[in-house]
Amino acid sequence: LTKLDDLFTTQAQRDEEQLSKIRDIPLELIDDFPDHPFKVRDDEDMMQLVESVKERGVITPATVRQKEDGRYELVSGHRRKRACELAGFETLRSEIVDLNRDEATILMVESNFQRSEILPSEKAFAYKMRLEAMKRQAGRPTKNNLVPVGQNYSREELAAQSGESQTQIQRYIRLTNLVPELLEFVDEGRIKMRPAVELSYLDEDCQRDVVDEIDLNDATPSHDQTIRMRKLFNEGNLTTEAIHAKVKLSL
């Protein structure tokens, strides 16, 4: 029989085990998370973080996972890593975690959603990445092949966890179908969410025609106008002239 000492550990032992996974890792060995949807900006907030790092170091360790080639992949702490680079540090204090790709994706999104300001484009790609990871987890069986891991993971689950409605999450995910110029207009607030969602159903050529008209007229289409554009597109009748007429109505 297994001894009780082997089954139970003290808090001190658990703390020591946790500390053994925290170390200062050279920045040159840490790769950013693939397709990381959250932008790291060298803005005023970053400069404040740099000063804090210079004075007190990295208080909360970043989170990394080790890759097969011996390098590390950053799961959370991209701003801290950038601050260390700007502060002239050569290492980043990090906790090494054992996570697969989907687990790392979910943690990456969760940790970054704690930011005070998140752009619509960041939410869009973050929700898409997280939902895809959750769906893969839902279909992955356990060792006994009886109950799928995370079988309840779905859009409903994501909505409950994020505090946003399923409809709103779907709207954000639709934004990932926009060309970069239109997505930038959304981030800047020049195009609202619902008109942007309608535009996301147009093909790339039509979307770029919309961009050209917005630049030419310095106006953006309303929700009703984008609904009409989408209808014309579905009917095969959305021409450059029609787009010009719809955008010009916004003047």
Side-chain angles (χ1 to χ4, degrees), residues 10-236:
T10 65
Q11 184 60 48
Q13 289 172 319
R14 290 191 290 271
D15 291 343
E16 184 177 353
E17 181 180 354
Q18 181 76 6
L19 286 173
S20 68
K21 297 179 181 179
I22 297 177
R23 63 190 66 170
D24 294 326
I25 300 176
L27 292 173
E28 62 183 17
L29 295 181
I30 303 175
D31 299 322
D32 290 344
F33 197 91
D35 300 319
H36 190 252
F38 298 94
K39 297 178 177 64
V40 177
R41 308 173 188 83
D42 290 346
D43 52 15
E44 183 177 348
D45 287 343
M46 175 59 72
M47 296 305 106
Q48 292 177 358
L49 181 57
V50 170
E51 291 305 313
S52 174
V53 167
K54 286 181 178 178
E55 293 177 7
R56 300 181 293 173
V58 175
I59 299 175
T60 303
T63 304
V64 301
R65 68 184 196 119
Q66 192 157 20
K67 299 164 64 176
E68 293 182 358
D69 60 4
R71 297 179 60 82
Y72 297 88
E73 181 178 278
L74 193 57
V75 178
S76 69
H78 288 73
R79 293 184 73 252
R80 278 163 281 174
K81 177 177 179 253
R82 178 58 178 160
C84 285
E85 292 173 345
L86 294 175
F89 289 13
E90 295 183 354
T91 62
L92 173 64
R93 190 154 184 78
S94 307
E95 178 184 0
I96 303 171
V97 294
D98 184 16
L99 299 174
N100 61 35
R101 164 63 59 208
D102 293 333
E103 291 168 340
T105 297
I106 292 171
L107 177 58
M108 179 273 294
V109 173
E110 286 178 347
S111 61
N112 280 279
F113 262 49
Q114 297 173 8
R115 294 185 181 188
S116 58
E117 294 184 9
I118 303 176
L119 295 174
S121 62
E122 295 173 328
K123 272 194 174 185
F125 286 99
Y127 275 141
K128 182 178 181 180
M129 291 177 68
R130 181 170 175 177
L131 187 60
E132 289 175 348
M134 293 169 76
K135 286 180 177 178
R136 285 192 296 268
Q137 281 194 329
R140 185 178 298 120
T142 57
K143 293 180 180 179
N144 58 18
N145 290 321
L146 293 177
V147 182
V149 174
Q151 61 180 348
N152 294 323
Y153 278 175
S154 61
R155 191 171 297 156
E156 292 86 351
E157 184 76 13
L158 179 54
Q161 293 177 5
S162 66
E164 299 207 64
S165 69
Q166 296 178 51
T167 300
Q168 188 70 351
I169 289 173
Q170 182 59 26
R171 285 173 181 156
Y172 274 115
I173 293 176
R174 281 300 315 174
L175 298 183
T176 63
N177 294 285
L178 291 174
V179 297
E181 294 87 347
L182 285 178
L183 193 54
E184 186 174 348
F185 287 152
V186 178
D187 282 342
E188 293 171 350
R190 293 183 63 185
I191 299 180
K192 300 301 182 183
M193 171 73 78
R194 297 184 74 180
V197 168
E198 297 298 328
L199 293 175
S200 74
Y201 288 95
L202 309 184
D203 64 19
E204 182 175 344
D205 289 339
C206 287
Q207 288 189 37
R208 294 203 177 279
D209 284 341
V210 173
V211 172
D212 291 341
E213 291 299 327
I214 290 174
D215 289 338
L216 180 64
N217 296 287
D218 193 25
T220 57
S222 68
H223 186 212
D224 288 341
Q225 289 162 352
T226 56
I227 290 175
R228 181 59 180 163
M229 284 188 201
R230 179 182 172 186
K231 182 178 179 181
L232 289 173
F233 176 75
N234 291 337
E235 295 170 348

